[in-house]
Amino acid sequence: MKYINIANTDLQVSNMIMGNMRLTQLSLPEAENLIRTAMDEGINFFDHADIYGKGKCEEIFSEAIQMNSSIREKMILQSKCGIISPEGYFDFSKEHIIESVNGILKRLNTEYLDILLLHRPDPLMEPSEVAEAFEELHNSGKVKYFGVSNHNPAQIELLQKYIPHKLVVNQLQFSIAHTPMIDSGITLNMKVDQAINRDSSILEYCRLHDITMQAWSPYQQGFFEGSFLGDLERFPKLNEVVDNIAEKYGVTNTGIATAWITRHPANIQVVLGTTKAERMKEACKGAEITLTREEWYQIYKAAGNMVP
């Protein structure tokens, strides 16, 4: 397992993250097995959100692992708030942020979060109000560090203008089949669809400002449209290339899809949302591989992207 430092923190974290969005699909023994598998593989970073299972995922995590101070000190715990419901609205009010964190801490049976993320941008956000919430949570010892998820550079800048604490993380969707963060940079100044800048150069912005990026849905195509791995109808060439490289390195296609992300010099953490212990092991094994430049570009082109 590779470990990185999240800039402007004292956190040494695994570049693989166990995501807990689907824990409600598991029994307590199954959840415990998955968590312990992650820890055995060297994962020390666990990602949550109060919207996952409407809080039930956090409860299952705590109950399954029988959370106590001894286990807690081995973990980096991150959670997110701000989404009221999938069909509802966002709320970055001071009252809601503080209330959310108190609920998260209770469900996880811990006294503090290492990192709190604002889940998705709230157009009605008052940044000064967010700053007050963050200050209160930090001063009380309930949250050590703060970050965002799915935010663009201007949204981060607006928050950072008011918040005295450095925003240290931005969690974004990124996979071989979802690459807007790099597409426009590769085809800059070309009159092709790939050259459209869809995210305001967020990848370069985060690197310039020492914000650690975390890739969610690392094996998905589009917005929860299923995995591209094994999808021979939509991605025949990509699967052929990935399978060939996987055979070379003696890993699975999941391992190569992981290695493709971790090969990027931005030190992107990969959020593993799987509920299968074996697939988690496959992903972790892939993260130990350093693809060659030729292999990395070969995979990128096989996904249907242009390299001029």
Side-chain angles (χ1 to χ4, degrees), residues 229 239 241-260 278-291 295 299:
L229 295 173
N239 277 278
V241 170
V242 167
D243 287 347
N244 288 339
I245 296 175
E247 184 177 1
K248 170 188 172 181
Y249 286 100
V251 298
T252 64
N253 56 4
T254 297
I256 294 304
T258 306
W260 188 84
E278 193 57 39
R279 195 173 192 199
M280 183 174 290
K281 292 179 182 178
E282 293 172 2
C284 290
K285 189 173 183 181
E288 298 172 0
I289 294 170
T290 302
L291 296 175
E295 289 165 343
I299 291 170

PDB file of all heavy atoms in Angstrom, residues 229 239 241-260 278-291 295 299:
ATOM      1  N   LEU A 229     -15.839  -1.987 -16.962  1.00  0.00           N
ATOM      2  CA  LEU A 229     -15.103  -3.244 -16.965  1.00  0.00           C
ATOM      3  C   LEU A 229     -16.036  -4.396 -17.314  1.00  0.00           C
ATOM      4  O   LEU A 229     -17.060  -4.595 -16.661  1.00  0.00           O
ATOM      5  CB  LEU A 229     -14.451  -3.488 -15.604  1.00  0.00           C
ATOM      6  CG  LEU A 229     -13.367  -2.485 -15.195  1.00  0.00           C
ATOM      7  CD1 LEU A 229     -12.925  -2.734 -13.765  1.00  0.00           C
ATOM      8  CD2 LEU A 229     -12.176  -2.559 -16.147  1.00  0.00           C
ATOM      9  N   ASN A 239     -11.700  -2.778 -22.981  1.00  0.00           N
ATOM     10  CA  ASN A 239     -11.586  -4.016 -22.217  1.00  0.00           C
ATOM     11  C   ASN A 239     -10.501  -4.921 -22.777  1.00  0.00           C
ATOM     12  O   ASN A 239      -9.789  -5.593 -22.018  1.00  0.00           O
ATOM     13  CB  ASN A 239     -12.932  -4.738 -22.182  1.00  0.00           C
ATOM     14  CG  ASN A 239     -13.853  -4.206 -21.100  1.00  0.00           C
ATOM     15  OD1 ASN A 239     -13.744  -4.576 -19.937  1.00  0.00           O
ATOM     16  ND2 ASN A 239     -14.747  -3.293 -21.483  1.00  0.00           N
ATOM     17  N   VAL A 241      -7.703  -3.926 -24.265  1.00  0.00           N
ATOM     18  CA  VAL A 241      -6.417  -3.353 -23.858  1.00  0.00           C
ATOM     19  C   VAL A 241      -6.172  -3.571 -22.375  1.00  0.00           C
ATOM     20  O   VAL A 241      -5.076  -3.988 -21.958  1.00  0.00           O
ATOM     21  CB  VAL A 241      -6.371  -1.851 -24.206  1.00  0.00           C
ATOM     22  CG1 VAL A 241      -5.149  -1.186 -23.566  1.00  0.00           C
ATOM     23  CG2 VAL A 241      -6.348  -1.657 -25.715  1.00  0.00           C
ATOM     24  N   VAL A 242      -7.177  -3.299 -21.544  1.00  0.00           N
ATOM     25  CA  VAL A 242      -7.035  -3.468 -20.095  1.00  0.00           C
ATOM     26  C   VAL A 242      -6.742  -4.932 -19.757  1.00  0.00           C
ATOM     27  O   VAL A 242      -5.862  -5.224 -18.928  1.00  0.00           O
ATOM     28  CB  VAL A 242      -8.307  -2.990 -19.367  1.00  0.00           C
ATOM     29  CG1 VAL A 242      -8.296  -3.447 -17.908  1.00  0.00           C
ATOM     30  CG2 VAL A 242      -8.417  -1.470 -19.430  1.00  0.00           C
ATOM     31  N   ASP A 243      -7.449  -5.849 -20.399  1.00  0.00           N
ATOM     32  CA  ASP A 243      -7.240  -7.272 -20.118  1.00  0.00           C
ATOM     33  C   ASP A 243      -5.827  -7.711 -20.511  1.00  0.00           C
ATOM     34  O   ASP A 243      -5.194  -8.513 -19.803  1.00  0.00           O
ATOM     35  CB  ASP A 243      -8.272  -8.116 -20.861  1.00  0.00           C
ATOM     36  CG  ASP A 243      -9.671  -8.006 -20.255  1.00  0.00           C
ATOM     37  OD1 ASP A 243      -9.781  -7.472 -19.130  1.00  0.00           O
ATOM     38  OD2 ASP A 243     -10.641  -8.425 -20.915  1.00  0.00           O
ATOM     39  N   ASN A 244      -5.332  -7.215 -21.629  1.00  0.00           N
ATOM     40  CA  ASN A 244      -3.976  -7.573 -22.068  1.00  0.00           C
ATOM     41  C   ASN A 244      -2.925  -7.071 -21.085  1.00  0.00           C
ATOM     42  O   ASN A 244      -1.966  -7.780 -20.755  1.00  0.00           O
ATOM     43  CB  ASN A 244      -3.702  -7.017 -23.464  1.00  0.00           C
ATOM     44  CG  ASN A 244      -4.467  -7.760 -24.548  1.00  0.00           C
ATOM     45  OD1 ASN A 244      -4.886  -8.907 -24.350  1.00  0.00           O
ATOM     46  ND2 ASN A 244      -4.654  -7.125 -25.686  1.00  0.00           N
ATOM     47  N   ILE A 245      -3.090  -5.844 -20.624  1.00  0.00           N
ATOM     48  CA  ILE A 245      -2.126  -5.278 -19.672  1.00  0.00           C
ATOM     49  C   ILE A 245      -2.263  -5.973 -18.321  1.00  0.00           C
ATOM     50  O   ILE A 245      -1.257  -6.211 -17.628  1.00  0.00           O
ATOM     51  CB  ILE A 245      -2.336  -3.754 -19.550  1.00  0.00           C
ATOM     52  CG1 ILE A 245      -2.041  -3.074 -20.894  1.00  0.00           C
ATOM     53  CG2 ILE A 245      -1.452  -3.164 -18.453  1.00  0.00           C
ATOM     54  CD1 ILE A 245      -2.333  -1.588 -20.913  1.00  0.00           C
ATOM     55  N   ALA A 246      -3.478  -6.329 -17.946  1.00  0.00           N
ATOM     56  CA  ALA A 246      -3.694  -7.054 -16.694  1.00  0.00           C
ATOM     57  C   ALA A 246      -2.967  -8.396 -16.718  1.00  0.00           C
ATOM     58  O   ALA A 246      -2.353  -8.807 -15.721  1.00  0.00           O
ATOM     59  CB  ALA A 246      -5.187  -7.269 -16.460  1.00  0.00           C
ATOM     60  N   GLU A 247      -3.025  -9.069 -17.861  1.00  0.00           N
ATOM     61  CA  GLU A 247      -2.332 -10.359 -17.989  1.00  0.00           C
ATOM     62  C   GLU A 247      -0.826 -10.179 -17.852  1.00  0.00           C
ATOM     63  O   GLU A 247      -0.147 -10.989 -17.213  1.00  0.00           O
ATOM     64  CB  GLU A 247      -2.670 -10.984 -19.349  1.00  0.00           C
ATOM     65  CG  GLU A 247      -2.075 -12.372 -19.541  1.00  0.00           C
ATOM     66  CD  GLU A 247      -2.488 -13.012 -20.856  1.00  0.00           C
ATOM     67  OE1 GLU A 247      -3.234 -12.363 -21.622  1.00  0.00           O
ATOM     68  OE2 GLU A 247      -2.053 -14.146 -21.124  1.00  0.00           O
ATOM     69  N   LYS A 248      -0.299  -9.106 -18.415  1.00  0.00           N
ATOM     70  CA  LYS A 248       1.135  -8.832 -18.323  1.00  0.00           C
ATOM     71  C   LYS A 248       1.579  -8.696 -16.877  1.00  0.00           C
ATOM     72  O   LYS A 248       2.639  -9.211 -16.481  1.00  0.00           O
ATOM     73  CB  LYS A 248       1.462  -7.555 -19.094  1.00  0.00           C
ATOM     74  CG  LYS A 248       2.887  -7.051 -18.871  1.00  0.00           C
ATOM     75  CD  LYS A 248       3.109  -5.687 -19.492  1.00  0.00           C
ATOM     76  CE  LYS A 248       4.469  -5.120 -19.077  1.00  0.00           C
ATOM     77  NZ  LYS A 248       4.694  -3.762 -19.653  1.00  0.00           N
ATOM     78  N   TYR A 249       0.779  -7.992 -16.063  1.00  0.00           N
ATOM     79  CA  TYR A 249       1.165  -7.718 -14.676  1.00  0.00           C
ATOM     80  C   TYR A 249       0.648  -8.767 -13.691  1.00  0.00           C
ATOM     81  O   TYR A 249       0.962  -8.707 -12.501  1.00  0.00           O
ATOM     82  CB  TYR A 249       0.672  -6.333 -14.262  1.00  0.00           C
ATOM     83  CG  TYR A 249       1.453  -5.199 -14.866  1.00  0.00           C
ATOM     84  CD1 TYR A 249       0.973  -4.497 -15.971  1.00  0.00           C
ATOM     85  CD2 TYR A 249       2.685  -4.811 -14.339  1.00  0.00           C
ATOM     86  CE1 TYR A 249       1.690  -3.453 -16.527  1.00  0.00           C
ATOM     87  CE2 TYR A 249       3.405  -3.766 -14.885  1.00  0.00           C
ATOM     88  CZ  TYR A 249       2.906  -3.087 -15.988  1.00  0.00           C
ATOM     89  OH  TYR A 249       3.629  -2.052 -16.537  1.00  0.00           O
ATOM     90  N   GLY A 250      -0.144  -9.697 -14.169  1.00  0.00           N
ATOM     91  CA  GLY A 250      -0.659 -10.735 -13.296  1.00  0.00           C
ATOM     92  C   GLY A 250      -1.700 -10.250 -12.308  1.00  0.00           C
ATOM     93  O   GLY A 250      -1.755 -10.728 -11.169  1.00  0.00           O
ATOM     94  N   VAL A 251      -2.527  -9.304 -12.742  1.00  0.00           N
ATOM     95  CA  VAL A 251      -3.599  -8.775 -11.901  1.00  0.00           C
ATOM     96  C   VAL A 251      -4.901  -8.825 -12.687  1.00  0.00           C
ATOM     97  O   VAL A 251      -4.922  -9.207 -13.857  1.00  0.00           O
ATOM     98  CB  VAL A 251      -3.308  -7.325 -11.436  1.00  0.00           C
ATOM     99  CG1 VAL A 251      -2.058  -7.277 -10.581  1.00  0.00           C
ATOM    100  CG2 VAL A 251      -3.184  -6.380 -12.635  1.00  0.00           C
ATOM    101  N   THR A 252      -6.004  -8.410 -12.054  1.00  0.00           N
ATOM    102  CA  THR A 252      -7.294  -8.382 -12.727  1.00  0.00           C
ATOM    103  C   THR A 252      -7.500  -7.048 -13.441  1.00  0.00           C
ATOM    104  O   THR A 252      -6.707  -6.105 -13.279  1.00  0.00           O
ATOM    105  CB  THR A 252      -8.440  -8.582 -11.717  1.00  0.00           C
ATOM    106  OG1 THR A 252      -8.435  -7.472 -10.809  1.00  0.00           O
ATOM    107  CG2 THR A 252      -8.264  -9.875 -10.942  1.00  0.00           C
ATOM    108  N   ASN A 253      -8.590  -6.964 -14.195  1.00  0.00           N
ATOM    109  CA  ASN A 253      -8.905  -5.696 -14.868  1.00  0.00           C
ATOM    110  C   ASN A 253      -9.178  -4.587 -13.850  1.00  0.00           C
ATOM    111  O   ASN A 253      -8.880  -3.413 -14.102  1.00  0.00           O
ATOM    112  CB  ASN A 253     -10.068  -5.859 -15.845  1.00  0.00           C
ATOM    113  CG  ASN A 253     -11.327  -6.413 -15.207  1.00  0.00           C
ATOM    114  OD1 ASN A 253     -11.400  -6.629 -13.994  1.00  0.00           O
ATOM    115  ND2 ASN A 253     -12.353  -6.653 -16.028  1.00  0.00           N
ATOM    116  N   THR A 254      -9.729  -4.950 -12.682  1.00  0.00           N
ATOM    117  CA  THR A 254      -9.930  -3.964 -11.614  1.00  0.00           C
ATOM    118  C   THR A 254      -8.596  -3.378 -11.175  1.00  0.00           C
ATOM    119  O   THR A 254      -8.478  -2.171 -10.917  1.00  0.00           O
ATOM    120  CB  THR A 254     -10.634  -4.608 -10.409  1.00  0.00           C
ATOM    121  OG1 THR A 254     -11.932  -5.057 -10.807  1.00  0.00           O
ATOM    122  CG2 THR A 254     -10.781  -3.616  -9.262  1.00  0.00           C
ATOM    123  N   GLY A 255      -7.588  -4.226 -11.088  1.00  0.00           N
ATOM    124  CA  GLY A 255      -6.260  -3.761 -10.694  1.00  0.00           C
ATOM    125  C   GLY A 255      -5.698  -2.751 -11.679  1.00  0.00           C
ATOM    126  O   GLY A 255      -5.118  -1.737 -11.281  1.00  0.00           O
ATOM    127  N   ILE A 256      -5.868  -2.996 -12.970  1.00  0.00           N
ATOM    128  CA  ILE A 256      -5.331  -2.075 -13.980  1.00  0.00           C
ATOM    129  C   ILE A 256      -6.128  -0.768 -14.005  1.00  0.00           C
ATOM    130  O   ILE A 256      -5.551   0.315 -14.167  1.00  0.00           O
ATOM    131  CB  ILE A 256      -5.333  -2.739 -15.369  1.00  0.00           C
ATOM    132  CG1 ILE A 256      -4.356  -3.913 -15.381  1.00  0.00           C
ATOM    133  CG2 ILE A 256      -4.952  -1.729 -16.454  1.00  0.00           C
ATOM    134  CD1 ILE A 256      -2.925  -3.574 -14.985  1.00  0.00           C
ATOM    135  N   ALA A 257      -7.449  -0.857 -13.824  1.00  0.00           N
ATOM    136  CA  ALA A 257      -8.261   0.368 -13.772  1.00  0.00           C
ATOM    137  C   ALA A 257      -7.844   1.234 -12.592  1.00  0.00           C
ATOM    138  O   ALA A 257      -7.883   2.468 -12.662  1.00  0.00           O
ATOM    139  CB  ALA A 257      -9.743   0.011 -13.675  1.00  0.00           C
ATOM    140  N   THR A 258      -7.439   0.597 -11.506  1.00  0.00           N
ATOM    141  CA  THR A 258      -6.941   1.327 -10.339  1.00  0.00           C
ATOM    142  C   THR A 258      -5.577   1.925 -10.628  1.00  0.00           C
ATOM    143  O   THR A 258      -5.316   3.104 -10.341  1.00  0.00           O
ATOM    144  CB  THR A 258      -6.839   0.384  -9.124  1.00  0.00           C
ATOM    145  OG1 THR A 258      -8.090  -0.260  -8.909  1.00  0.00           O
ATOM    146  CG2 THR A 258      -6.438   1.149  -7.872  1.00  0.00           C
ATOM    147  N   ALA A 259      -4.693   1.110 -11.207  1.00  0.00           N
ATOM    148  CA  ALA A 259      -3.326   1.559 -11.506  1.00  0.00           C
ATOM    149  C   ALA A 259      -3.330   2.740 -12.463  1.00  0.00           C
ATOM    150  O   ALA A 259      -2.434   3.606 -12.393  1.00  0.00           O
ATOM    151  CB  ALA A 259      -2.521   0.399 -12.094  1.00  0.00           C
ATOM    152  N   TRP A 260      -4.327   2.793 -13.356  1.00  0.00           N
ATOM    153  CA  TRP A 260      -4.393   3.907 -14.308  1.00  0.00           C
ATOM    154  C   TRP A 260      -4.598   5.234 -13.568  1.00  0.00           C
ATOM    155  O   TRP A 260      -4.000   6.249 -13.924  1.00  0.00           O
ATOM    156  CB  TRP A 260      -5.527   3.676 -15.309  1.00  0.00           C
ATOM    157  CG  TRP A 260      -5.531   4.664 -16.429  1.00  0.00           C
ATOM    158  CD1 TRP A 260      -4.806   4.606 -17.584  1.00  0.00           C
ATOM    159  CD2 TRP A 260      -6.276   5.883 -16.480  1.00  0.00           C
ATOM    160  NE1 TRP A 260      -5.049   5.711 -18.356  1.00  0.00           N
ATOM    161  CE2 TRP A 260      -5.951   6.519 -17.701  1.00  0.00           C
ATOM    162  CE3 TRP A 260      -7.182   6.496 -15.616  1.00  0.00           C
ATOM    163  CZ2 TRP A 260      -6.513   7.733 -18.077  1.00  0.00           C
ATOM    164  CZ3 TRP A 260      -7.735   7.700 -15.991  1.00  0.00           C
ATOM    165  CH2 TRP A 260      -7.404   8.312 -17.202  1.00  0.00           C
ATOM    166  N   GLU A 278     -13.006  -9.473  -2.106  1.00  0.00           N
ATOM    167  CA  GLU A 278     -12.042  -9.909  -3.116  1.00  0.00           C
ATOM    168  C   GLU A 278     -11.737  -8.797  -4.112  1.00  0.00           C
ATOM    169  O   GLU A 278     -10.590  -8.626  -4.532  1.00  0.00           O
ATOM    170  CB  GLU A 278     -12.574 -11.143  -3.859  1.00  0.00           C
ATOM    171  CG  GLU A 278     -11.536 -11.847  -4.703  1.00  0.00           C
ATOM    172  CD  GLU A 278     -10.315 -12.290  -3.916  1.00  0.00           C
ATOM    173  OE1 GLU A 278     -10.462 -12.747  -2.755  1.00  0.00           O
ATOM    174  OE2 GLU A 278      -9.191 -12.168  -4.454  1.00  0.00           O
ATOM    175  N   ARG A 279     -12.752  -8.043  -4.481  1.00  0.00           N
ATOM    176  CA  ARG A 279     -12.511  -6.951  -5.429  1.00  0.00           C
ATOM    177  C   ARG A 279     -11.679  -5.848  -4.780  1.00  0.00           C
ATOM    178  O   ARG A 279     -10.883  -5.198  -5.437  1.00  0.00           O
ATOM    179  CB  ARG A 279     -13.838  -6.376  -5.941  1.00  0.00           C
ATOM    180  CG  ARG A 279     -13.625  -5.509  -7.178  1.00  0.00           C
ATOM    181  CD  ARG A 279     -14.896  -5.071  -7.818  1.00  0.00           C
ATOM    182  NE  ARG A 279     -14.637  -4.498  -9.133  1.00  0.00           N
ATOM    183  CZ  ARG A 279     -15.481  -3.703  -9.794  1.00  0.00           C
ATOM    184  NH1 ARG A 279     -16.643  -3.405  -9.233  1.00  0.00           N
ATOM    185  NH2 ARG A 279     -15.187  -3.220 -10.976  1.00  0.00           N
ATOM    186  N   MET A 280     -11.865  -5.650  -3.483  1.00  0.00           N
ATOM    187  CA  MET A 280     -11.046  -4.671  -2.778  1.00  0.00           C
ATOM    188  C   MET A 280      -9.576  -5.092  -2.811  1.00  0.00           C
ATOM    189  O   MET A 280      -8.687  -4.267  -3.027  1.00  0.00           O
ATOM    190  CB  MET A 280     -11.523  -4.530  -1.331  1.00  0.00           C
ATOM    191  CG  MET A 280     -10.783  -3.480  -0.525  1.00  0.00           C
ATOM    192  SD  MET A 280     -11.494  -3.251   1.100  1.00  0.00           S
ATOM    193  CE  MET A 280     -13.055  -2.464   0.692  1.00  0.00           C
ATOM    194  N   LYS A 281      -9.336  -6.380  -2.633  1.00  0.00           N
ATOM    195  CA  LYS A 281      -7.962  -6.887  -2.706  1.00  0.00           C
ATOM    196  C   LYS A 281      -7.386  -6.684  -4.101  1.00  0.00           C
ATOM    197  O   LYS A 281      -6.215  -6.318  -4.253  1.00  0.00           O
ATOM    198  CB  LYS A 281      -7.933  -8.374  -2.346  1.00  0.00           C
ATOM    199  CG  LYS A 281      -8.256  -8.691  -0.901  1.00  0.00           C
ATOM    200  CD  LYS A 281      -8.216 -10.204  -0.663  1.00  0.00           C
ATOM    201  CE  LYS A 281      -8.580 -10.565   0.758  1.00  0.00           C
ATOM    202  NZ  LYS A 281      -8.571 -12.045   0.963  1.00  0.00           N
ATOM    203  N   GLU A 282      -8.196  -6.918  -5.121  1.00  0.00           N
ATOM    204  CA  GLU A 282      -7.748  -6.741  -6.503  1.00  0.00           C
ATOM    205  C   GLU A 282      -7.357  -5.284  -6.769  1.00  0.00           C
ATOM    206  O   GLU A 282      -6.351  -5.002  -7.428  1.00  0.00           O
ATOM    207  CB  GLU A 282      -8.858  -7.162  -7.467  1.00  0.00           C
ATOM    208  CG  GLU A 282      -9.181  -8.648  -7.439  1.00  0.00           C
ATOM    209  CD  GLU A 282     -10.406  -8.989  -8.261  1.00  0.00           C
ATOM    210  OE1 GLU A 282     -10.983  -8.059  -8.881  1.00  0.00           O
ATOM    211  OE2 GLU A 282     -10.790 -10.176  -8.299  1.00  0.00           O
ATOM    212  N   ALA A 283      -8.164  -4.364  -6.266  1.00  0.00           N
ATOM    213  CA  ALA A 283      -7.882  -2.942  -6.457  1.00  0.00           C
ATOM    214  C   ALA A 283      -6.583  -2.549  -5.765  1.00  0.00           C
ATOM    215  O   ALA A 283      -5.753  -1.832  -6.327  1.00  0.00           O
ATOM    216  CB  ALA A 283      -9.045  -2.107  -5.929  1.00  0.00           C
ATOM    217  N   CYS A 284      -6.415  -3.015  -4.544  1.00  0.00           N
ATOM    218  CA  CYS A 284      -5.209  -2.677  -3.780  1.00  0.00           C
ATOM    219  C   CYS A 284      -3.956  -3.236  -4.451  1.00  0.00           C
ATOM    220  O   CYS A 284      -2.902  -2.586  -4.464  1.00  0.00           O
ATOM    221  CB  CYS A 284      -5.318  -3.198  -2.355  1.00  0.00           C
ATOM    222  SG  CYS A 284      -6.548  -2.323  -1.355  1.00  0.00           S
ATOM    223  N   LYS A 285      -4.068  -4.426  -5.024  1.00  0.00           N
ATOM    224  CA  LYS A 285      -2.916  -5.005  -5.723  1.00  0.00           C
ATOM    225  C   LYS A 285      -2.562  -4.174  -6.947  1.00  0.00           C
ATOM    226  O   LYS A 285      -1.386  -3.973  -7.267  1.00  0.00           O
ATOM    227  CB  LYS A 285      -3.229  -6.453  -6.131  1.00  0.00           C
ATOM    228  CG  LYS A 285      -2.033  -7.214  -6.670  1.00  0.00           C
ATOM    229  CD  LYS A 285      -2.361  -8.682  -6.899  1.00  0.00           C
ATOM    230  CE  LYS A 285      -1.126  -9.446  -7.380  1.00  0.00           C
ATOM    231  NZ  LYS A 285      -1.436 -10.889  -7.624  1.00  0.00           N
ATOM    232  N   GLY A 286      -3.581  -3.665  -7.621  1.00  0.00           N
ATOM    233  CA  GLY A 286      -3.336  -2.833  -8.793  1.00  0.00           C
ATOM    234  C   GLY A 286      -2.648  -1.530  -8.448  1.00  0.00           C
ATOM    235  O   GLY A 286      -1.847  -0.998  -9.236  1.00  0.00           O
ATOM    236  N   ALA A 287      -2.936  -1.000  -7.263  1.00  0.00           N
ATOM    237  CA  ALA A 287      -2.342   0.274  -6.861  1.00  0.00           C
ATOM    238  C   ALA A 287      -0.837   0.169  -6.637  1.00  0.00           C
ATOM    239  O   ALA A 287      -0.143   1.181  -6.561  1.00  0.00           O
ATOM    240  CB  ALA A 287      -3.016   0.778  -5.585  1.00  0.00           C
ATOM    241  N   GLU A 288      -0.331  -1.050  -6.547  1.00  0.00           N
ATOM    242  CA  GLU A 288       1.106  -1.248  -6.367  1.00  0.00           C
ATOM    243  C   GLU A 288       1.854  -1.238  -7.699  1.00  0.00           C
ATOM    244  O   GLU A 288       3.082  -1.252  -7.735  1.00  0.00           O
ATOM    245  CB  GLU A 288       1.345  -2.586  -5.643  1.00  0.00           C
ATOM    246  CG  GLU A 288       0.736  -2.639  -4.249  1.00  0.00           C
ATOM    247  CD  GLU A 288       0.821  -4.027  -3.634  1.00  0.00           C
ATOM    248  OE1 GLU A 288       1.359  -4.935  -4.305  1.00  0.00           O
ATOM    249  OE2 GLU A 288       0.354  -4.209  -2.492  1.00  0.00           O
ATOM    250  N   ILE A 289       1.096  -1.213  -8.804  1.00  0.00           N
ATOM    251  CA  ILE A 289       1.688  -1.246 -10.148  1.00  0.00           C
ATOM    252  C   ILE A 289       1.899   0.170 -10.665  1.00  0.00           C
ATOM    253  O   ILE A 289       1.050   1.040 -10.493  1.00  0.00           O
ATOM    254  CB  ILE A 289       0.764  -2.013 -11.114  1.00  0.00           C
ATOM    255  CG1 ILE A 289       0.686  -3.489 -10.710  1.00  0.00           C
ATOM    256  CG2 ILE A 289       1.234  -1.873 -12.559  1.00  0.00           C
ATOM    257  CD1 ILE A 289      -0.391  -4.244 -11.456  1.00  0.00           C
ATOM    258  N   THR A 290       3.033   0.399 -11.306  1.00  0.00           N
ATOM    259  CA  THR A 290       3.285   1.676 -11.972  1.00  0.00           C
ATOM    260  C   THR A 290       3.267   1.444 -13.471  1.00  0.00           C
ATOM    261  O   THR A 290       4.204   0.879 -14.042  1.00  0.00           O
ATOM    262  CB  THR A 290       4.641   2.282 -11.554  1.00  0.00           C
ATOM    263  OG1 THR A 290       4.656   2.466 -10.132  1.00  0.00           O
ATOM    264  CG2 THR A 290       4.857   3.634 -12.240  1.00  0.00           C
ATOM    265  N   LEU A 291       2.194   1.847 -14.105  1.00  0.00           N
ATOM    266  CA  LEU A 291       2.077   1.678 -15.549  1.00  0.00           C
ATOM    267  C   LEU A 291       3.116   2.531 -16.270  1.00  0.00           C
ATOM    268  O   LEU A 291       3.496   3.607 -15.796  1.00  0.00           O
ATOM    269  CB  LEU A 291       0.680   2.085 -16.019  1.00  0.00           C
ATOM    270  CG  LEU A 291      -0.508   1.263 -15.502  1.00  0.00           C
ATOM    271  CD1 LEU A 291      -1.814   1.897 -15.976  1.00  0.00           C
ATOM    272  CD2 LEU A 291      -0.427  -0.185 -15.957  1.00  0.00           C
ATOM    273  N   GLU A 295       1.597   2.567 -21.730  1.00  0.00           N
ATOM    274  CA  GLU A 295       0.412   1.824 -21.299  1.00  0.00           C
ATOM    275  C   GLU A 295      -0.696   2.767 -20.854  1.00  0.00           C
ATOM    276  O   GLU A 295      -1.877   2.537 -21.174  1.00  0.00           O
ATOM    277  CB  GLU A 295       0.789   0.875 -20.153  1.00  0.00           C
ATOM    278  CG  GLU A 295       1.652  -0.299 -20.607  1.00  0.00           C
ATOM    279  CD  GLU A 295       2.324  -1.023 -19.454  1.00  0.00           C
ATOM    280  OE1 GLU A 295       2.393  -0.445 -18.343  1.00  0.00           O
ATOM    281  OE2 GLU A 295       2.796  -2.147 -19.665  1.00  0.00           O
ATOM    282  N   ILE A 299      -4.350   2.976 -22.780  1.00  0.00           N
ATOM    283  CA  ILE A 299      -5.644   2.785 -22.113  1.00  0.00           C
ATOM    284  C   ILE A 299      -6.544   3.993 -22.353  1.00  0.00           C
ATOM    285  O   ILE A 299      -7.738   3.848 -22.655  1.00  0.00           O
ATOM    286  CB  ILE A 299      -5.439   2.544 -20.606  1.00  0.00           C
ATOM    287  CG1 ILE A 299      -4.781   1.182 -20.376  1.00  0.00           C
ATOM    288  CG2 ILE A 299      -6.766   2.621 -19.853  1.00  0.00           C
ATOM    289  CD1 ILE A 299      -4.324   0.955 -18.953  1.00  0.00           C
TER     290      ILE A 299
END
